[in-house]
Amino acid sequence: MQSNKHFPLFFLLLITSIISLYAQEDQLVTLPIKAVTDSITAPLFPPPVAKDSIERDSTITDSLNKKPALLLDQITYKAKDYVKLSQKDQKIYLYNEAEIHYQDTELKAGVIIMDYIKNEVYAGRLRDSLGNYSQLPYFKQGSNVVIPDSIRFNFDTQKALIWNSRTEQQAAAGALGSDAMKVYADITKKENDSVYFLKEGKLTTSADTINPDYYIRIRKAKFVPKKKVIAGYSNLYIADVPTPIALPFAYFPLTVGRTAGVMMPTYGSDPDTGYFLQDLGYYIPIGEVADLTVNGSFYTNGSYGVRGQSVYAKRYKYRGNVNIRYENQVNSQKGFSKYSNNTNYNIQISHSQDTKASPNSRFSASVNLGSSSYYKESLQQQNLPNTQNNTLSSSISYSKTFPAYPSVNMSLSATHSQNTNTEVVNLTLPTLQASMERIYPFAKRDGIKKGLIQNINFQYDLNARNSVVTDSENFSFANSKIGAKHKIPISTNFKVAKYFSVSLGGSYEDVWSLDTYKKSYDVDSQSVVIDTVSGFDRFNKYNLSASIGTTLYGTYDFGEDKKIQAIRHVMRPSLSYGYAPSFEQFYDEYDIDGKPIQYSRFEGTLFGKPSLGKSNSLSFSLANTLEAKVTDKDSTATEAKKIPILSNFNISTGYNLESDSLKLSPLSVNGGTNILDNKMSINFSAGLDPYAIDNNGSRINTFNIDNGGSLLRLTRANINVGYSIDSKTFGKKDDEEKEEEPDPFDYVASSGGRTDDLFGKGDDFNSPRSREDDEKKGEDVDNPIYGTKIPWNFRLAYSASYANSARQNEFSSHSLMFSGDIELSPRWKVGGSSGYDFKNQGFTLTQLRFERDLKSFTMRFNWTPFGTYKRWYFFIGIKSSILKDLKWENRSQRVR
């Protein structure tokens, strides 16, 4: 056997190459690792799949030190500058934009060191020659994100040690919007996926993650992501200054979605009611479609108030709100002359159905009823604007359409109207209305209708209801009136001489009543006695009508080179005739000293009585519109701009052919227009009587001009002017913002007051939903030293009513109201509302408002300086609904 002489040389070269390769592997980087990482050194972790900057994959195995792998998946990693594998240290070094991915765990950092024996990883920042740090570690496991200065993590045990961690928890979403709680900690120990232990931590909702304007310092705490933080001794810091607001232990809920919880009250004192706690409550979510909030206010003099509110919503189906409030008010003390004990309540219900829910049926409700004195006597500040409302109204209705020909529309409704001054309540409970679509018996359903015969049409209407008139203090259904009215109108229309439209028609009515009235004269008491006759009774009536009208156009051109190019006047005159016979058959008589007096047993019923005496009258009306065509300021516009001068100007009067005197009806004039680019609306009306009056103020059959007066006598007049303007009026219009789909729970029932703030604002600072406006304003608001834009708005309402029907020559009402707001800076806003009553010579409800945006906090001060509702209110609190109970407020109650 011949020996190989070259074998020793080959073996020597192989050993030399292996030693050279290992030497090159350990000396790949010339800079030491400690020069570019944090000062903390940490061991590291396992056999992975590597990706360097040129996307090179490699798998490292060690046949000498083999142990069972606990990893369930491969680890992939990469870095921008280099990936160094050290067999000597049994570690892998990644430098600059380093990344590691393992199952649902993601780690990014400036530098990462892995120990693939211990299955541990250490990540830190990069530090340059000036000592500045960059590329902070980003650690994400599942949906939890932590941004620390450095982190040590074990893939086997899932435990981690984190230095200077920062994480954000989205909390309190759902019904009340969403805001974020930021959790900071010097040292964090991750025990498992759901439990973290914090040492020297901070909790805040401030948008500034570097220097928060406030935070709650916690010494030690247990942190469960998206659920809670349980801490030991905690106290509030504002601008890094400790405050005396502290607790020996604290619980912070972080649950995502709507969760049940206590609503902290506000406290204070008042000379009339004593010490009080207001709005102590509890919030309860009810499934996915509703919630319930219960509040209570308690006063040491015995007064108390209870409020329950429920908001419900189902997307594409319906949404609504139920709000029930009750107050027991004790004034002064027993034994004193001013002592009183009053109870007030208010019920509000709002329900709206989505149009997509059902095309042929719809249910809606808008209810606002209660004690007439509720708003005026309420102890709650948010009810202040409603003290100026004199009417409470409600409506609940269900409508159904039967689309088969001929289609029928039916509705069942209940209405309520309440005057808070007179305390008179009007109810219709219920009202049934039904109508059948128009039927053209002499024309094809799908064809074009022409001429007198083909346009003949009729329909059927039903109105049946139960009406009650009572008062809020002595509510009773004893005076209810029940009746029904059936009506069949018949009409047709056609053209005459191409330009005149002629309409002919008539209607038949059949009126039912369950109660009628019988009158008689009592000689002994010398008075008329009215007896109620129970039982069904009815009467019918009919009338005929005809009208002719046309449209006249007039245009005056100034020339296309003029600023005002043309003025156009449109007139629509109409002449109508109406006839109705006398219905004496429904009238009876009673005698007073031998003199017969006619009356109808239907007088005082729900739909009234039929007419006595023939009606034979003419009426005339003239509708006018006036508009101008002007050159558009926009040079790119191809057509002139149309501006209304008079949107409508109507004149109407009548002439009674059957009357033996006072044949002419008063001339009625009304009109309106919008000017100043629709910023100002003007509406007016007036009544002009051609007849004179006697010394008693009664009309006489003598023309006013023949009695030494003018041609027409002004009997009434009314004007209403509304004006609204803001800073955007004089600036460029912003692009239209994309409308976002509203949150189904972002819903508040109407308070029944004005939609503007001419009667002042009544903010409910204690309501979680009231914080939504503050949170939506955002935290990052620029506040330049020299600002050029100062947003503002201004609203004005002027109303005057003049009465002179009996020579009283007086203004029955005459007032001016105004309100406005101005943002002195991006974080300072002031506003106010007031008015002056010229008739009573006094100021109306006046309110001054001051608001300061303190980034994480909001501060407000509302002041009513004088009047019946004189009071002030101060509030400062955190915007976030998570920590909304960190607040302070003080108030004064109005003098009673």
Side-chain angles (χ1 to χ4, degrees):
M1 183 174 182
Q2 187 178 1
S3 62
N4 191 344
K5 297 180 180 180
H6 298 286
F7 177 77
L9 179 61
F10 173 79
F11 184 77
L12 180 63
L13 291 174
L14 180 60
I15 293 175
T16 305
S17 299
I18 293 174
I19 295 173
S20 177
L21 286 173
Y22 272 96
Q24 291 178 5
E25 187 71 14
D26 279 342
Q27 297 175 4
L28 224 140
V29 181
T30 57
L31 292 176
I33 292 299
K34 290 183 180 180
V36 292
T37 63
D38 279 352
S39 59
I40 301 173
T41 59
L44 302 144
F45 82 102
V49 175
K51 284 187 179 181
D52 57 16
S53 59
I54 59 174
E55 301 296 329
R56 179 180 59 197
D57 295 344
S58 61
T59 304
I60 302 173
T61 59
D62 188 349
S63 61
L64 298 178
N65 299 321
K66 205 168 186 179
K67 69 175 183 178
L70 297 177
L71 297 176
L72 302 177
D73 200 355
Q74 287 186 331
I75 299 174
T76 60
Y77 57 89
K78 66 179 180 178
K80 183 178 181 180
D81 284 3
Y82 69 78
V83 177
K84 174 184 174 182
L85 289 76
S86 175
Q87 291 288 355
K88 179 181 178 181
D89 298 335
Q90 297 180 331
K91 297 176 182 178
I92 302 174
Y93 299 89
L94 295 88
Y95 183 81
N96 196 5
E97 298 183 10
E99 295 184 18
I100 291 178
H101 299 271
Y102 171 70
Q103 290 187 337
D104 65 341
T105 302
E106 178 183 351
L107 179 61
K108 299 178 182 179
V111 59
I112 297 177
I113 305 173
M114 296 186 294
D115 188 325
Y116 53 81
I117 300 300
K118 296 181 180 180
N119 286 347
E120 288 185 356
V121 61
Y122 168 80
R125 304 166 293 180
L126 290 182
R127 185 175 61 186
D128 58 20
S129 58
L130 299 177
N132 298 321
Y133 291 97
S134 62
Q135 295 190 34
L136 275 68
Y138 172 88
F139 178 75
K140 180 180 180 182
Q141 188 171 31
S143 59
N144 297 324
V145 177
V146 180
I147 303 176
D149 287 350
S150 56
I151 184 173
R152 179 179 174 181
F153 179 72
N154 188 288
F155 283 91
D156 293 342
T157 64
Q158 299 289 306
K159 294 182 179 181
L161 197 61
I162 307 167
W163 289 267
N164 294 330
S165 65
R166 292 171 291 277
T167 184
E168 184 174 296
Q169 298 291 308
Q170 294 291 334
L176 305 181
S178 61
D179 47 357
M181 171 77 83
K182 285 83 174 179
V183 182
Y184 306 91
D186 290 352
I187 300 177
T188 302
K189 181 182 178 183
K190 178 179 178 292
E191 192 67 21
N192 50 52
D193 291 344
S194 60
V195 177
Y196 294 75
F197 293 99
L198 311 178
K199 182 179 180 181
E200 284 298 330
K202 298 177 182 178
L203 301 179
T204 183
T205 58
S206 173
D208 190 345
T209 59
I210 306 300
N211 295 308
D213 50 5
Y214 87 97
Y215 58 86
I216 299 173
R217 180 188 172 189
I218 54 178
R219 276 68 177 175
K220 293 181 180 180
K222 180 181 178 181
F223 170 42
V224 180
K226 297 183 180 180
K227 288 188 178 180
K228 59 189 174 182
V229 174
I230 303 174
Y233 176 70
S234 308
N235 67 310
L236 179 66
Y237 277 65
I238 299 178
D240 290 326
V241 177
T243 68
I245 302 176
L247 292 172
F249 59 88
Y251 176 86
F252 302 93
L254 300 176
T255 305
V256 175
R258 300 176 296 122
T259 57
V262 176
M263 302 179 65
M264 298 301 292
T266 59
Y267 62 90
S269 63
D270 178 75
D272 293 333
T273 59
Y275 294 96
F276 59 80
L277 286 176
Q278 283 192 349
D279 295 316
L280 173 64
Y282 197 79
Y283 175 79
I284 307 171
I286 306 174
E288 297 295 328
V289 297
D291 64 8
L292 175 64
T293 305
V294 180
N295 304 84
S297 300
F298 307 95
Y299 305 81
T300 55
N301 77 329
S303 300
Y304 64 90
V306 180
R307 179 175 64 174
Q309 183 178 27
S310 178
V311 177
Y312 58 91
K314 189 170 184 179
R315 199 178 296 274
Y316 307 122
K317 292 293 184 179
Y318 52 79
R319 64 192 313 187
N321 179 295
V322 178
N323 195 354
I324 301 175
R325 295 174 284 189
Y326 176 84
E327 290 186 4
N328 181 74
Q329 300 168 5
V330 178
N331 296 319
S332 186
Q333 295 182 3
K334 288 185 178 180
F336 290 86
S337 58
K338 295 183 179 180
Y339 173 79
S340 64
N341 189 347
N342 302 317
T343 58
N344 293 307
Y345 70 95
N346 180 258
I347 300 174
Q348 294 181 6
I349 302 174
S350 293
H351 178 92
S352 61
Q353 179 178 309
D354 196 298
T355 55
K356 306 181 187 68
S358 176
N360 295 323
S361 63
R362 184 174 181 83
F363 176 78
S364 64
S366 177
V367 176
N368 185 16
L369 60 88
S371 303
S372 297
S373 59
Y374 175 80
Y375 290 122
K376 297 178 181 179
E377 301 295 332
S378 175
L379 300 173
Q380 298 290 337
Q381 190 270 346
Q382 63 265 24
N383 293 324
L384 176 63
N386 294 317
T387 59
Q388 307 303 299
N389 294 328
N390 298 326
T391 304
L392 304 179
S393 59
S394 307
S395 175
I396 302 175
S397 65
Y398 173 78
S399 60
K400 176 73 174 178
T401 300
F402 301 91
Y405 182 82
S407 65
V408 176
N409 296 321
M410 297 185 65
S411 67
L412 192 65
S413 62
T415 62
H416 151 264
S417 178
Q418 179 178 347
N419 188 303
T420 58
N421 289 333
T422 62
E423 299 188 1
V424 174
V425 178
N426 291 276
L427 291 175
T428 59
L429 189 68
T431 298
L432 173 64
Q433 289 182 301
S435 63
M436 183 184 67
E437 72 169 301
R438 292 183 182 274
I439 296 178
Y440 294 82
F442 304 106
K444 295 181 179 180
R445 289 174 55 186
D446 300 330
I448 299 176
K449 303 169 184 64
K450 295 181 179 180
L452 172 67
I453 303 300
Q454 290 187 1
N455 277 290
I456 294 176
N457 65 87
F458 69 92
Q459 63 181 122
Y460 169 75
D461 295 319
L462 167 66
N463 187 328
R465 64 178 183 263
N466 174 31
S467 179
V468 181
V469 179
T470 181
D471 62 86
S472 59
E473 294 298 326
N474 302 307
F475 194 86
S476 173
F477 287 95
N479 296 324
S480 63
K481 297 178 181 180
I482 303 175
K485 180 169 66 175
H486 307 264
K487 184 176 181 180
I488 302 177
I490 303 175
S491 65
T492 185
N493 61 83
F494 54 92
K495 290 280 188 179
V496 174
K498 264 175 80 173
Y499 300 107
F500 294 91
S501 296
V502 178
S503 296
L504 299 176
S507 67
Y508 172 83
E509 293 183 12
D510 204 277
V511 181
W512 298 352
S513 179
L514 296 184
D515 290 313
T516 54
Y517 303 97
K518 182 179 180 180
K519 292 184 178 182
S520 61
Y521 183 73
D522 188 350
V523 179
D524 296 334
S525 62
Q526 294 186 350
S527 62
V528 178
V529 178
I530 302 176
D531 296 322
T532 302
V533 180
S534 299
F536 175 80
D537 204 346
R538 58 168 291 277
F539 71 87
N540 64 319
K541 61 180 181 178
Y542 59 89
N543 63 74
L544 301 174
S545 63
S547 66
I548 184 171
T550 188
T551 303
L552 303 175
Y553 300 92
T555 304
Y556 185 84
D557 292 319
F558 295 94
E560 295 185 358
D561 57 335
K562 304 293 184 181
K563 184 175 181 180
I564 301 178
Q565 298 181 10
I567 292 179
R568 186 187 190 192
H569 183 201
V570 181
M571 295 184 295
R572 294 181 175 85
S574 176
L575 180 64
S576 302
Y577 171 76
Y579 172 80
S582 178
F583 300 95
E584 293 93 349
Q585 64 269 32
F586 301 110
Y587 279 76
D588 300 310
E589 293 182 352
Y590 64 92
D591 293 334
I592 298 180
D593 298 332
K595 182 180 179 181
I597 305 296
Q598 281 188 312
Y599 77 97
S600 173
R601 62 183 182 276
F602 296 98
E603 184 177 348
T605 59
L606 184 62
F607 293 101
K609 60 182 179 179
S611 60
L612 179 63
K614 184 168 59 175
S615 173
N616 191 11
S617 62
L618 290 171
S619 61
F620 171 79
S621 66
L622 177 63
N624 299 267
T625 59
L626 192 66
E627 61 181 5
K629 185 187 291 186
V630 300
T631 304
D632 201 318
K633 294 181 180 179
D634 186 0
S635 59
T636 61
T638 58
E639 295 183 359
K641 184 178 180 180
K642 294 181 180 180
I643 297 178
I645 300 175
L646 277 176
S647 301
N648 61 83
F649 180 71
N650 306 315
I651 302 173
S652 62
T653 187
Y655 185 81
N656 192 339
L657 298 173
E658 291 294 326
S659 178
D660 56 355
S661 63
L662 303 174
K663 292 178 177 292
L664 280 174
S665 301
L667 187 70
S668 177
V669 180
N670 64 81
T673 187
N674 294 317
I675 61 175
L676 302 178
D677 197 19
N678 292 327
K679 294 295 181 181
M680 176 177 285
S681 62
I682 303 174
N683 294 282
F684 58 89
S685 64
L688 302 170
D689 196 342
Y691 292 105
I693 57 176
D694 57 18
N695 294 331
N696 297 323
S698 301
R699 297 175 71 203
I700 58 176
N701 193 31
T702 302
F703 288 115
N704 194 57
I705 192 172
D706 296 335
N707 200 39
S710 58
L711 176 64
L712 298 172
R713 180 173 54 88
L714 180 64
T715 58
R716 60 175 179 83
N718 176 267
I719 184 170
N720 291 288
V721 180
Y723 182 63
S724 176
I725 194 171
D726 54 37
S727 55
K728 296 180 181 178
T729 305
F730 304 100
K732 295 182 179 179
K733 295 183 178 179
D734 299 331
D735 295 334
E736 295 183 0
E737 297 181 356
K738 184 179 179 181
E739 293 185 1
E740 297 182 357
E741 186 177 359
D743 190 301
F745 277 92
D746 186 16
Y747 185 79
V748 177
S750 171
S751 63
R754 296 179 66 102
T755 56
D756 53 33
D757 58 352
L758 291 172
F759 287 165
K761 289 182 179 180
D763 299 318
D764 186 0
F765 299 121
N766 300 310
S767 172
R769 290 181 175 85
S770 69
R771 308 293 179 87
E772 285 296 295
D773 293 337
D774 294 329
E775 294 171 15
K776 290 177 182 178
K777 292 178 182 177
E779 301 288 350
D780 299 327
V781 180
D782 294 332
N783 194 5
I785 298 177
Y786 300 103
T788 57
K789 294 183 179 179
I790 301 180
W792 57 271
N793 57 73
F794 178 76
R795 292 162 296 281
L796 179 145
Y798 174 77
S799 176
S801 296
Y802 173 77
N804 191 38
S805 58
R807 292 198 186 99
Q808 61 266 45
N809 190 24
E810 64 177 9
F811 282 95
S812 56
S813 65
H814 192 194
S815 61
L816 174 69
M817 295 185 296
F818 52 87
S819 69
D821 299 283
I822 181 171
E823 294 187 22
L824 300 177
S825 71
R827 299 192 183 277
W828 264 114
K829 183 178 181 180
V830 298
S833 57
S834 184
Y836 190 79
D837 189 337
F838 296 98
K839 177 177 175 58
N840 298 316
Q841 297 183 354
F843 284 94
T844 61
L845 179 66
T846 300
Q847 186 185 66
L848 301 177
R849 301 180 292 271
F850 305 88
E851 183 177 345
R852 170 65 173 171
D853 183 0
L854 299 170
K855 294 187 178 180
S856 300
F857 293 82
T858 183
M859 181 178 68
R860 296 176 182 173
F861 180 72
N862 290 354
W863 181 32
T864 304
F866 53 82
T868 306
Y869 302 96
K870 177 181 178 181
R871 65 178 68 174
W872 57 264
Y873 193 101
F874 177 81
F875 172 88
I876 183 171
I878 294 176
K879 296 178 183 178
S880 169
S881 61
I882 302 176
L883 299 175
K884 66 182 182 64
D885 296 323
L886 289 177
K887 62 184 178 181
W888 183 78
E889 55 184 317
N890 201 359
R891 72 189 74 192
S892 68
Q893 296 291 338
R894 64 183 179 88
V895 178
R896 297 181 179 276

